[in-house]
Amino acid sequence: MAVSYSRLFFLPCLLILLVFFSCSLQNDGDDDIRILPGYIEEELVAFTIRAPLITELRITGYSSGPVSYPIYALKMTDNPQEQENEPEIQFTGGIHGNEQLSCIMVLRMIEYMIDLYEEDDPVITGIINNSELHFSPVLNPYGLSRDERYNANSVDLNRNFSWAWVDGLFHGDAPIDQPESQAIRDDALEHPYVLAVHGHTGAACINTLWDYIGTTKSSGTPSTYTIDDFISLYLPSYPFISEEALHYKNTVNAAGDDGFWMTEGYDWYAAFGTLQDWMYGVRGAIAYTLEYDLSSGHTLLYEELFQEVFDNHKDALIDLFIDARKGISGIITGSGELPVDAKVEVTTVTKSVYCDPVTFSPFCFTDPDAGDYHLPVQPGTYNLEITADGYLPETINGIVVPEETGIVIRNIQLTPGKGEKSPLFMPPEIPADNIPPDLREE
Ligand SMILES: [Zn+2]
């Protein structure tokens, strides 16, 4: 469970933590100065003090290791204490603790958005007023403290998730058996993210679905799956995901990074149990793994580089945040017009994924506090099925997402009855033995 605090209670606690983790920078010699978890904390607290009306800080969990570092998420929206009818967006860094640039990028984005909000910039103000952003600069604070990729148990957290998890040297003993992965999972179960962007560095590309399956690996090894199989794996979400990724790439290229490219996970290299695949496969979020730059770099020495990378990416990121509002959205209510904890699924083009008996199509969950749902799909006509415990399943046909705006609002009233959430409400996690052997080696 995420831990929420009122600001009055939270700030004094944070000040105590800050004293505890008072060291925020480390000098490794040769002016190689890097950041520590305390630096992230100081920055996040400073943001909440500077912009109290649009921010709220929470702890989503604690790290592995002898020191339990808190894992933070900073929520940015108007009325941060309320659950409103707004899409939720996740932007993270530092799941690999030695990729500091990814932590800095999240901090700089928070700062940039607060700067522009204070200047009444209409675009940024529109995003803050109409969505909920959740920023986690470092998902692996232990790794950050040691400048290591892994957590304290030598697990690569980006191989520890339960979508197509396989046994492996740095994968953990079981899917989501690490405290950091559990914190990420619990936070995502509480917040139905529409868009999840996970920052990395060491390469320069936007990587998208799937990491665990594709047609051809970079080594040139073809799998037994045809291009038709491959396309069907992405199903109707794929055009949305792919077009957004292409737009992102083009925007970064235009901003000055000519070498930035896009790829589809497995076609670059196979990876199993990744956060990106889990976020889409289990939670329905449009998910990207963002690799910013060839360097991983340590912070202060390269401030100019970080500024340049941020400048190359900021407009592309902002466009992603804006587009998270596209598709079909609305509020689902039940008896007494109360919000309902429901699942919304596109039924128009449901196809079977190669992993029997799992079927897959774009889906999302309501935020049970407000009953709002946000299903990112391209312009077109869709049929939706809504399922919820205690309500009759509802099918709504022929919802048109218009070309002009890409947005349609459809509020839905459910009828009480003997209904259950669809089986996919329980995550359709793909077990390792359902991954064909020719795809399994990493
Ligand atoms: Zn990484």
Side-chain angles (χ1 to χ4, degrees), residues 149-375:
R149 178 181 179 92
Y150 308 112
N151 76 350
N153 301 323
S154 299
V155 172
D156 183 338
L157 299 170
N158 203 31
R159 302 292 183 275
N160 187 235
F161 283 83
S162 53
W163 189 266
W165 180 87
V166 296
D167 203 4
L169 187 55
F170 302 107
H171 298 182
D173 294 330
I176 315 190
D177 69 341
Q178 299 300 307
E180 295 90 347
S181 320
Q182 289 161 4
I184 296 164
R185 173 199 61 196
D186 293 348
D187 180 65
L189 291 176
E190 194 168 322
H191 298 277
Y193 294 122
V194 178
L195 167 72
V197 182
H198 306 121
H200 292 250
T201 192
C205 63
I206 182 166
N207 171 45
T208 189
L209 303 166
W210 296 95
D211 287 328
Y212 81 102
I213 186 171
T215 47
T216 309
K217 277 193 278 192
S218 56
S219 63
T221 314
S223 79
T224 54
Y225 295 91
T226 67
I227 192 71
D228 286 342
D229 292 332
F230 185 53
I231 288 169
S232 74
L233 289 171
Y234 292 104
L235 300 169
S237 283
Y238 178 64
F240 190 98
I241 294 168
S242 183
E243 283 205 4
E244 288 291 320
L246 183 62
H247 176 73
Y248 192 100
K249 171 200 166 294
N250 290 338
T251 307
V252 173
N253 290 157
D257 185 351
D258 293 343
F260 190 83
W261 56 293
M262 69 178 279
T263 183
E264 289 150 3
Y266 182 92
D267 286 1
W268 183 19
Y269 63 92
F272 302 100
T274 66
L275 177 55
Q276 165 191 287
D277 284 2
W278 185 87
M279 275 300 232
Y280 182 65
V282 176
R283 297 298 291 158
I286 302 298
Y288 296 110
T289 304
L290 202 49
E291 299 273 1
Y292 294 113
D293 191 75
L294 300 179
S295 71
S296 60
H298 289 161
T299 319
L300 300 179
L301 200 58
Y302 299 104
E303 218 160 79
E304 277 179 26
L305 165 73
F306 292 138
Q307 190 59 46
E308 185 185 323
V309 174
F310 182 75
D311 288 342
N312 287 341
H313 282 262
K314 67 177 191 301
D315 291 343
L317 282 164
I318 293 297
D319 282 354
L320 269 187
F321 297 166
I322 293 170
D323 286 354
R325 273 182 256 159
K326 286 188 175 171
I328 309 168
S329 66
I331 292 180
I332 299 179
T333 49
S335 39
E337 308 224 334
L338 291 171
V340 174
D341 183 356
K343 183 185 180 197
V344 180
E345 193 174 359
V346 171
T347 60
T348 323
V349 241
T350 301
K351 294 176 187 170
S352 175
V353 183
Y354 81 100
C355 285
D356 290 339
V358 178
T359 58
F360 210 89
S361 59
F363 66 98
C364 69
F365 301 96
T366 58
D367 182 336
D369 294 322
D372 58 319
Y373 73 97
H374 307 269
L375 189 65

Side-chain angles (χ1 to χ4, degrees), residues 85 329-333 371-373 396 409-413:
N85 173 10
S329 66
I331 292 180
I332 299 179
T333 49
D372 58 319
Y373 73 97
I396 299 182
I409 293 168
R410 181 61 70 96
N411 297 329
I412 297 161
Q413 173 95 38

